[in-house]
Amino acid sequence: MTQAPDLAPPPTLEVRGGRKNFGAVHALRGVDLVARAGEVTALVGDNGAGKSTMIKCVAGIYPFDAGDVLFEGQTTHISSPADANELGIEVVYQDLALCDNLDIVHNMFLGRELKKGFRLDESAMETRAAEVLASLSVRTVRSIRQHVASLSGGQRQTVAIARAVLWNSKLVILDEPTAALGVAQTEQVLQLVRRLADAGLAVVLVSHNMNDVFEVADSINVLYLGQTAAQIRTKDTSRMEVIELITSGSAGMPAGAVAPRPSPDAPERATRVASATATTSDATTTTNGSTSA
């Protein structure tokens, strides 16, 4: 009997064995990431695990030194932020990069202003900004012409996210979007994150907050010391298991989890398999050539 072909679309973004070195520092030592359209993929890990380097490589700020990057199933090379923007990748960094002295409209079009002749097309920009905010069900902003300096933290985050989806983006990366927000503002931003995915975008959410991750994420990618510890479906794991992966790089993983590939930098590290009962044994070679188990 002939097996039916897999008609599922390829992931919006797939990174395979990504590596990045800064001199003698191995920031990324073989990372894997899959982000699918219509889903929120959480990227978690302890400080120094490589999360910021990972998103900067995807955004074109740093090129990967090795590994493969596939966008919508096609191998690509992202060497600059312009390359990332052309593909449809937008990043909202933790500092938001908003100008307090400009209004919402001008912040959303900052650096990409629409022009009519030699003048800015204020009417077209205002109309487009209002459409995007309405499409995201943003109702907390009093006027799109108010200055960003007068906005709350949650409203600022909303403007930054709206700017990211203004340009027909396909992948939106959010770096700690709720880090400095209160409870009510955090809930507003998380609802917006979920609406982005429901609208068909692939969303990568970088976060330390497990409550946020388990509330909105469809899958969780855990980094540990520059390597991918696992990528797991949220419904198939628990907070304790994710925390164990963050702190030790290994845990009993459910079936279907993506385990890390062995790193050339650490050949003694065995790949974890799906069963929680699987065990590994390591051999350590001493400096005088003797081996102990």
Side-chain angles (χ1 to χ4, degrees):
M1 182 177 178
T2 303
Q3 185 177 3
D6 186 4
L7 299 179
T12 300
L13 175 72
E14 185 173 4
V15 178
R16 300 175 181 172
R19 303 172 67 82
K20 182 63 186 178
N21 301 328
F22 297 97
V25 178
H26 303 293
L28 300 178
R29 301 186 294 125
V31 291
D32 302 313
L33 174 67
V34 174
R36 299 184 181 278
E39 293 188 358
V40 178
T41 303
L43 183 62
V44 302
D46 206 351
N47 291 334
K51 302 185 301 298
S52 294
T53 303
M54 176 75 151
I55 64 174
K56 287 178 179 178
C57 286
V58 172
I61 295 176
Y62 306 137
F64 282 109
D65 293 333
D68 298 318
V69 178
L70 287 80
F71 197 82
E72 297 183 324
Q74 301 296 315
T75 301
T76 186
H77 180 70
I78 305 173
S79 58
S80 69
D83 290 344
N85 294 156
E86 188 174 346
L87 289 171
I89 299 173
E90 297 286 341
V91 184
V92 179
Y93 293 101
Q94 195 168 351
D95 62 4
L96 303 183
L98 298 176
C99 297
D100 286 348
N101 61 322
L102 299 179
D103 60 28
I104 293 173
V105 174
H106 286 160
N107 266 285
M108 289 178 65
F109 283 89
L110 190 63
R112 304 178 184 178
E113 293 83 359
L114 301 181
K115 295 182 179 180
K116 182 185 292 183
F118 294 102
R119 295 186 177 184
L120 297 180
D121 193 342
E122 297 283 357
S123 178
M125 290 192 295
E126 184 171 323
T127 299
R128 180 68 181 133
E131 290 173 350
V132 170
L133 291 170
S135 70
L136 297 175
S137 300
V138 176
R139 302 183 180 89
T140 60
V141 176
R142 174 170 44 84
S143 169
I144 60 175
R145 283 301 185 181
Q146 66 184 110
H147 281 195
V148 164
S150 67
L151 301 180
S152 67
Q155 290 171 328
R156 287 169 178 256
Q157 190 67 244
T158 297
V159 172
I161 294 174
R163 179 176 61 188
V165 303
L166 182 64
W167 308 102
N168 299 316
S169 53
K170 298 176 181 178
L171 170 68
V172 177
I173 302 173
L174 305 174
D175 185 11
E176 299 281 1
T178 63
L181 303 183
V183 175
Q185 294 175 339
T186 294
E187 185 61 28
Q188 292 174 3
V189 172
L190 292 180
Q191 290 175 2
L192 180 55
V193 171
R194 191 65 252 178
R195 285 197 293 271
L196 293 179
D198 293 342
L201 277 68
V203 181
V204 174
L205 173 68
V206 182
S207 181
H208 283 96
N209 191 312
M210 289 297 106
N211 292 328
D212 293 354
V213 167
F214 276 84
E215 182 173 343
V216 300
D218 298 286
S219 65
I220 303 172
N221 187 295
V222 185
L223 295 185
Y224 177 74
L225 298 180
Q227 289 183 292
T228 300
Q231 180 158 340
I232 318 172
R233 301 299 294 179
T234 307
K235 61 183 178 61
D236 295 331
T237 189
S238 65
R239 285 172 171 79
M240 289 305 299
E241 188 168 46
V242 172
I243 291 172
E244 186 178 355
L245 284 166
I246 291 173
T247 55
S248 68
S250 62
M253 293 185 294
V258 178
R261 66 187 70 202
S263 169
D265 292 335
E268 75 282 359
R269 175 174 174 169
T271 302
R272 298 290 296 193
V273 295
S275 171
T277 60
T279 59
T280 61
S281 62
D282 298 320
T284 304
T285 303
T286 62
T287 56
N288 62 6
S290 63
T291 301
S292 60

